[in-house]
Amino acid sequence: MNGQRFLRASVPPWCVVLVGFALPASVRALSLAELRAQAQQIAAERARLASGGAAGAAAEQALIERLGPLVLAFIDESDRAARAGTEEQARDALRPAFESVREPLEAIYAGRSGLLERQARAVMDADGDLEALYETPEWQQSQAIAARALYYLNWLNFYGARLYEGQRRRALLEAAERGFSEFAVGERGSELLTESILGRGLCYLELGNHEWAARDFRLVIDEPHVSVERKAKARLALLESYALGGTPQDALRYSEALLRTGEVPPEDAALVRFYRLRALFDALKQASGREAEGYRHEAAALMEQLRAAGKGWTDRVDALFAARVEDPAQWIGQARTARAKWSLARSMLEKGDSRGAAPLLTELLASEAADVKPYRAEANYWLGVAHFKAGEYEAAAQRLDAALADAKPEFAAEAAYLRFKALEALMAQPATTATTGARYAAAMEDFLRAHPEHPFAHEARYRLGEHRQAQGDFQAAIAEYAQVHGDPGFELRARFGTLQCQFELLRDRQEPPARAALLADIGRGLERFWQEVRALQDKKDRAELPLADFSAKATLLQAVYLSLRRTDADAEVAALLADFARRFPEQRELLPQAVRLRLAALRQLGQFGEAEREVTQHAAALRDDPRRAAIEPLAGSFVKAGAQRKREGDTTAGQAAERVALQLYEILSEADGGTDDKRQLTVARLYEATGNLDGAATLYEQILDVHGTSLAALSGLARIAEVRGDYGAALRYWERFTTIAPPGNAPWFQGQYEQARLVLAAGDAKRSCAILTALRPAMPGLADAELRRQLGALHQQACG
């Protein structure tokens, strides 16, 4: 059984008129905080009454007398926010006041209606006389208190529902609708009945039952004796029901009539225009051609009128425009004022149309009019965003500079971040000036100084360290990297950047203690780096982390570190870098460096066969490496290793080392055409040493074609001719060699020796003896002891 049914028996004569009520000045002056405090005090008094037994009727009546003005004050404050267009913004402030007033009022109503229900049930269970119960003073007193509480509660629930969404909102509206229906009976023309019908219609409107709402509003409007204030409110509500009910033409006709006749108070004219604006947007969906253009023209004018009514209306209009207009570009011709252009541009940006918004923003910023000033900073920001999205990074950076020149704009953090990203994109372009680098560094420094808690501060901090590192300021880079926190990927990048900088600093640390300390730091850093890599590999959300890239680079650094830290680390380095291409297939840029480091280790280990296989397998990577200049000294080291092994009597190992060297030189020659004379000569000697006599002869001849006085080429061709058994050609080469070599120096003696040796080998001892005898006066000037010994031995053979 519902206690509300007992309220139908009579209509209390005490009810006030909520539309156009006269609120006492003492209450009207209350702030929401004071209103809430008074309501909480009343709730506490009511709780004390209830805890002491049955609350006295007179006491509860007095509490309602104090709660009533608070309800009216709350409604007044709600209406004021609605008329100003700031209802959404005022919600958070209004909710606590609403709940504080509702609590004691609901408690009084629930207590009295519950008492009525219990009394009625007791009479019915005893088959007693209900009519007699209704006549008792106790019943009528409780009924009057419950009805009075419900009267205020209805309007409080209706206005409070507008502060919530979802189930809470619906429950309050349904409670208000039931309560208004309790009073919407009785004698036609009474103020309470008319007001209740209006309240019920407003509930229907909020619940989406527009047809029933419109019916109730018409009943109020058609009532002859209804007050001017209440009739105005009903007209406004009827217009809203048309605007929300899918009948835009009815809303257009009715709003036009209201504005023309002035049948609503001046303070509600903005609401009428807003509902008309909504209807225009709805009508546009079915219109085309001149009719659509007319609707847009009027809508643009209405928006300007509403924006002039204050910020609350500006925000509501902009939100409505953004929600209802699918193609803002159609409205460009209607934007006349700075505010209209700004709102239109913002709407286009929110829909992702940066290209369409840019001309509007540019036009806006080109104006020096006073009404542009409020939008200048943000327009520069959004134009910067548009340029950034279009890849126009210099223009974006300049616009964002202008946006940030204003004092503390609300978008400063995002503008500063985007400026840094625009300059970062400029830095990635091939031609970068020192000025751009300075701007880039300054942008990051400004961003980090002003917004250290920004979600992407870690990114800027890392990029600043990266920039310092690129400039060679390794200590400053390490300091920046140490401050990178908040993102595992960037923290790992910073850790690796620190290691790179420390390796660079090793170049300048020649003092053993300082060098040893830095190497120790590097060792600890590498160990910590690998720990973090392993930890990240175990995470499920590591898809965006370039762990393979980091692992490959760290592997190289580990190899360098081992080679610098220990003299016996070659075997460990070679093992660490084995199968690098298979383990890190995506790291093609790093492969040549890994191959070079491994080759150096294999050379030290004397594993020339493995080195030969390494070069053969990765020849293409070495050839295509932009840093292939590092190959030549490596090849030279294998030449020296081969010569050393041959001197030690290990011809097999020596030849293997020379084959590695030859492969490396051939890679260089393929990459750059082999035009270097010194390298050509080295390759020719390696061809000769490894048995490729044709290749060696071809290169020696090419060198002679360019440099006819090349002693090395002549001696090489002489040796090849002798190996082939062509002693005459060999002798001619040595004769030519001797005529070119300066008399008295070691090559000249070498040429004379080779001639004498070949002549003797051909059986002409007399001629050989003559050559050697002619040399004897010059022999004291020969410093090469071994050659002196050879000449003496040959002289003894030839001259007897």
Side-chain angles (χ1 to χ4, degrees):
M1 184 180 297
N2 187 342
Q4 285 187 359
R5 57 170 290 197
F6 300 109
L7 303 183
R8 295 194 182 107
S10 64
V11 178
W14 38 260
C15 289
V16 300
V17 180
L18 275 173
V19 178
F21 63 83
L23 192 61
S26 60
V27 176
R28 186 186 295 275
L30 288 177
S31 67
L32 286 174
E34 292 168 331
L35 188 155
R36 183 183 178 190
Q38 288 192 18
Q40 289 172 337
Q41 182 181 352
I42 294 171
E45 292 178 22
R46 200 273 164 190
R48 286 194 295 271
L49 284 173
S51 64
E60 286 196 337
Q61 187 80 5
L63 293 179
I64 294 175
E65 292 293 337
R66 291 162 61 191
L67 283 168
L70 298 184
V71 172
L72 303 182
F74 170 78
I75 293 172
D76 185 54
E77 199 63 38
S78 299
D79 280 342
R80 186 178 295 112
R83 290 190 180 102
T86 58
E87 198 168 14
E88 288 292 323
Q89 297 89 322
R91 279 184 168 192
D92 289 341
L94 288 167
R95 282 193 196 104
F98 162 71
E99 296 292 355
S100 297
V101 176
R102 187 177 186 276
E103 179 187 353
L105 199 57
E106 171 69 21
I108 292 171
Y109 169 69
R112 287 296 166 177
S113 60
L115 177 62
L116 291 172
E117 184 172 349
R118 290 192 298 275
Q119 289 177 346
R121 185 178 297 278
V123 171
M124 288 188 291
D125 289 346
D127 292 328
D129 185 356
L130 277 176
E131 292 299 326
L133 175 65
Y134 297 160
E135 296 301 322
T136 63
E138 293 82 8
W139 174 274
Q140 291 181 359
Q141 190 175 48
S142 290
Q143 184 190 45
I145 293 172
R148 190 158 193 166
L150 180 62
Y151 172 79
Y152 288 116
L153 193 60
N154 288 341
W155 284 108
L156 188 64
N157 282 338
F158 169 73
Y159 275 89
R162 290 153 58 172
L163 306 176
Y164 295 92
E165 302 294 339
Q167 187 56 41
R168 172 69 166 158
R169 175 179 180 276
R170 187 169 189 85
L172 289 169
L173 286 171
E174 288 176 346
E177 183 272 321
R178 288 193 301 270
F180 282 126
S181 294
E182 293 296 323
F183 293 123
V185 294
E187 181 183 351
R188 302 295 298 176
S190 73
E191 289 191 5
L192 179 59
L193 183 141
T194 305
E195 183 178 319
S196 299
I197 292 174
L198 175 60
R200 183 177 65 184
L202 291 171
C203 292
Y204 287 148
L205 181 62
E206 295 290 336
L207 288 167
N209 193 342
H210 302 115
E211 184 178 349
W212 288 15
R215 179 202 62 193
D216 278 352
F217 299 145
R218 292 192 191 96
L219 286 174
V220 175
I221 294 168
D222 293 340
E223 175 60 45
H225 304 294
V226 71
S227 68
V228 173
E229 294 84 357
R230 188 172 291 117
K231 187 169 290 193
K233 192 169 187 70
R235 288 185 179 120
L236 199 62
L238 180 60
L239 172 60
E240 186 176 2
S241 71
Y242 288 150
L244 299 178
T247 55
Q249 294 302 328
D250 288 342
L252 290 175
R253 283 191 292 271
Y254 197 57
S255 60
E256 181 182 12
L258 291 179
L259 291 170
R260 185 180 66 252
T261 60
E263 292 179 329
V264 291
E267 60 268 23
D268 288 331
L271 276 172
V272 175
R273 292 189 179 96
F274 184 74
Y275 294 141
R276 182 169 181 80
L277 180 62
R278 293 181 64 152
L280 286 168
F281 283 138
D282 289 337
L284 263 170
K285 295 178 182 178
Q286 308 298 326
S288 60
R290 294 181 63 182
E291 183 183 37
E293 189 62 24
Y295 286 151
R296 275 192 287 272
H297 183 75
E298 184 184 355
L302 277 177
M303 285 191 284
E304 284 305 302
Q305 283 183 284
L306 286 166
R307 287 176 181 133
K311 186 180 184 303
W313 283 114
T314 295
D315 293 342
R316 290 186 70 178
V317 166
D318 289 348
L320 182 64
F321 185 89
R324 295 296 187 92
V325 175
E326 296 180 0
D327 185 8
Q330 293 179 334
W331 292 76
I332 290 178
Q334 306 299 334
R336 309 293 187 197
T337 65
R339 178 68 213 191
K341 291 174 183 176
W342 168 243
S343 297
L344 181 57
R346 280 292 303 271
S347 180
M348 296 173 84
L349 287 166
E350 288 167 4
K351 293 182 182 297
D353 186 8
S354 300
R355 185 180 296 273
L360 277 169
L361 293 170
T362 303
E363 181 182 348
L364 192 67
L365 290 168
S367 172
E368 297 297 329
D371 61 345
V372 174
K373 185 177 180 180
Y375 318 117
R376 190 172 295 281
E378 195 168 354
N380 270 310
Y381 167 67
W382 284 110
L383 194 54
V385 172
H387 283 308
F388 185 87
K389 289 181 177 179
E392 300 162 352
Y393 300 116
E394 179 57 45
Q398 292 181 14
R399 288 297 181 183
L400 293 165
D401 279 341
L404 289 165
D406 271 55
K408 298 181 181 179
E410 59 186 12
F411 46 84
E414 294 312 308
Y417 174 73
L418 200 62
R419 178 178 63 176
F420 137 59
K421 296 299 289 182
L423 289 164
E424 179 183 85
L426 288 175
M427 290 292 292
Q429 295 178 358
T432 303
T433 66
T435 302
T436 304
R439 291 169 63 201
Y440 178 51
M444 290 186 284
E445 290 167 351
D446 289 347
F447 172 60
L448 291 167
R449 182 169 51 254
H451 311 288
E453 302 303 321
H454 190 278
F456 297 126
H458 60 268
E459 179 186 0
R461 184 70 68 185
Y462 170 75
R463 296 301 179 195
L464 185 56
E466 188 179 50
H467 182 69
R468 302 288 191 228
Q469 181 179 348
Q471 290 181 314
D473 193 351
F474 303 116
Q475 291 287 13
I478 290 172
E480 295 295 343
Y481 286 143
Q483 299 180 70
V484 177
H485 303 292
D487 180 274
F490 278 102
E491 287 179 8
L492 196 63
R493 288 183 177 93
R495 188 85 59 224
F496 185 78
T498 297
L499 288 168
Q500 288 178 312
C501 291
Q502 289 173 325
F503 272 105
E504 293 291 341
L505 289 172
L506 274 176
R507 300 174 189 272
D508 300 325
R509 301 289 172 87
Q510 302 302 324
E511 306 84 0
R515 189 174 180 81
L518 185 52
L519 276 171
D521 285 344
I522 291 173
R524 288 188 291 270
L526 279 166
E527 183 177 355
R528 183 177 175 187
F529 178 84
W530 285 118
Q531 289 174 351
E532 292 181 5
V533 168
R534 287 190 289 270
L536 288 170
Q537 285 173 336
D538 295 335
K539 288 190 174 183
K540 295 180 180 179
D541 58 346
R542 61 184 177 90
E544 299 300 321
L545 299 177
L547 294 182
D549 179 31
F550 288 138
S551 296
K553 291 177 179 177
T555 298
L556 292 179
L557 290 185
Q558 188 84 31
V560 175
Y561 167 73
L562 289 171
S563 64
L564 293 172
R565 186 71 169 171
R566 301 203 323 266
T567 57
D568 60 346
D570 295 306
E572 194 173 346
V573 171
L576 181 65
L577 298 174
D579 296 326
F580 189 90
R582 179 185 59 78
R583 288 154 54 205
F584 307 109
E586 301 299 322
Q587 309 306 314
R588 296 183 179 88
E589 291 183 1
L590 302 179
L591 178 59
Q593 186 180 358
V595 172
R596 291 196 303 271
L597 286 169
R598 188 163 192 265
L599 285 173
L602 292 171
R603 184 199 67 228
Q604 289 294 102
L605 293 168
Q607 296 180 10
F608 302 120
E610 178 64 21
E612 193 172 359
R613 285 188 290 274
E614 186 83 7
V615 177
T616 300
Q617 183 178 0
H618 301 300
L622 291 170
R623 183 187 61 242
D624 297 335
D625 183 17
R627 296 159 295 181
R628 56 180 170 269
I631 296 175
E632 190 147 14
L634 181 63
S637 71
F638 274 93
V639 171
K640 292 177 182 178
Q644 177 67 28
R645 290 305 177 97
K646 285 182 175 181
R647 284 194 298 271
E648 293 170 354
D650 191 347
T651 304
T652 301
Q655 289 178 339
E658 289 173 337
R659 285 195 299 272
V660 175
L662 181 57
Q663 283 181 297
L664 292 171
Y665 278 120
E666 286 176 334
I667 287 169
L668 281 173
S669 296
E670 289 175 17
D672 57 22
T675 56
D676 183 88
D677 295 337
K678 183 179 179 181
R679 188 195 305 160
Q680 273 191 306
L681 188 58
T682 303
V683 172
R685 286 170 175 165
L686 289 170
Y687 278 152
E688 185 182 353
T690 56
N692 185 356
L693 299 182
D694 290 340
T698 299
L699 281 179
Y700 285 141
E701 288 167 355
Q702 288 176 358
I703 293 169
L704 277 178
D705 288 341
V706 178
H707 304 286
T709 60
S710 174
L711 298 179
L714 286 168
S715 62
L717 288 169
R719 289 190 299 271
I720 292 170
E722 184 176 354
V723 172
R724 288 172 171 172
D726 190 350
Y727 297 104
L731 184 58
R732 287 191 295 275
Y733 280 125
W734 283 118
E735 288 173 346
R736 184 177 172 185
F737 179 98
T738 307
T739 61
I740 294 171
N745 68 5
W748 181 78
F749 278 105
Q750 181 71 44
Q752 297 287 359
Y753 168 79
E754 296 294 348
Q755 289 181 66
R757 184 183 60 78
L758 286 172
V759 169
L760 179 62
D764 192 347
K766 183 179 180 179
R767 182 183 172 193
S768 176
C769 181
I771 294 171
L772 294 169
T773 300
L775 291 176
R776 296 187 70 80
M779 289 289 285
L782 178 59
D784 188 336
E786 176 60 22
L787 184 54
R788 285 168 62 90
R789 186 194 63 76
Q790 291 175 343
L791 283 166
L794 187 61
H795 182 272
Q796 187 175 1
Q797 291 179 30
C799 300

